[in-house]
């Protein structure tokens, strides 16, 4: 663990480089699954006015399930196929 942590601390994070590479490869939708909206905001700053969608699945002060539903709605609005069938199963006949 110490070796892994030391390696992570010693090497610079190349987030902007990775976002640019992903964009160049055709990625237009970026989803932050972890806590907060820090990376979502960074994607916006990195890509600026270029066409993209950045969605956060969690936000401080917002109920988790509500935020997840909003994130799924944002993804659907951006054209990502979203299947919520498993979240809202139909009752047995």
């Amino acid at each position: 663990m110490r070796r892994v942590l030391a390696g992570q601390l010693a090497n610079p994070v190349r987030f902007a480089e990775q976002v640019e590479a992903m964009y160049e490869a055709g990625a237009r939708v970026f989803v932050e699954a972890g806590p907060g909206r820090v990376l979502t905001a960074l994607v916006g700053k990195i890509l600026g006015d270029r066409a993209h969608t950045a969605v956060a699945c969690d936000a401080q002060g917002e109920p988790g399930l509500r935020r997840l539903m909003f994130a799924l709605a944002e993804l659907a609005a951006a054209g990502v196929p979203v299947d919520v069938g498993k979240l809202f199963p139909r009752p047995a006949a």
Side-chain angles (χ1 to χ4, degrees):
M1 287 296 290
R2 286 183 183 153
R3 222 175 321 130
V4 171
L5 180 58
Q8 289 177 351
L9 294 174
N11 294 311
V13 174
R14 296 163 55 183
F15 186 73
E17 249 180 74
Q18 291 302 312
V19 169
E20 290 287 359
M22 290 166 56
Y23 193 86
E24 288 301 315
R28 296 296 182 269
V29 177
F30 300 83
V31 178
E32 182 171 3
R37 297 177 182 223
V38 173
L39 300 179
T40 302
L42 284 174
V43 167
K45 287 180 183 179
I46 292 164
L47 296 178
D49 292 337
R50 290 179 278 177
H52 73 281
T53 300
V55 176
C57 293
D58 181 65
Q60 185 175 1
E62 205 173 323
L65 183 57
R66 179 175 184 257
R67 181 63 229 153
L68 177 61
M69 293 295 107
F70 274 116
L72 292 174
E74 289 176 78
L75 291 169
V80 175
V82 175
D83 179 4
V84 295
K86 298 228 187 231
L87 293 173
F88 304 103
R90 296 174 191 246

